[in-house]
Amino acid sequence: NNYFGIGTDAQAALQFHNMREEAPSLFFSRIVNKIWYGILGAENAFQSPCEDLPDVVTLEADGVQVPLPLDCQGLLVLNIDSY
């Protein structure tokens, strides 16, 4: 993998994985998989399951605490130039 994520993005990925394990017949093509992932991601964005992320996560870089925006619902750590 090229990134590590916590929050809304990771929640959608976990739901996608669990749903795919439970009902593989619903995931029969790449486009359908993308649609499911989009539905789950949109659902999580509107429900805000990670709205308390800044209260429960501390980000530190080079020994310095990095403040998270109060409305932050996800955190991605990338090892690629763009996302």
Side-chain angles (χ1 to χ4, degrees), residues 9-82:
D9 182 65
Q11 180 71 26
L14 178 61
Q15 287 178 316
F16 178 87
H17 170 74
N18 289 339
M19 192 173 166
R20 193 173 181 176
E21 291 283 315
E22 293 172 12
S25 62
L26 296 176
F27 299 84
F28 51 86
S29 74
R30 288 182 188 173
I31 190 70
V32 171
N33 291 355
K34 290 178 183 182
I35 291 169
W36 277 118
Y37 200 93
I39 289 170
L40 295 170
E43 181 180 90
N44 282 320
F46 287 113
Q47 291 178 351
S48 302
C50 301
E51 64 186 353
D52 63 343
L53 189 76
D55 298 327
V56 297
V57 173
T58 301
L59 176 62
E60 187 176 309
D62 294 329
V64 178
Q65 187 169 344
V66 178
L68 297 176
L70 294 177
D71 60 348
C72 175
Q73 293 188 29
L75 184 63
L76 293 176
V77 179
L78 306 171
N79 67 352
I80 56 177
D81 291 336
S82 64

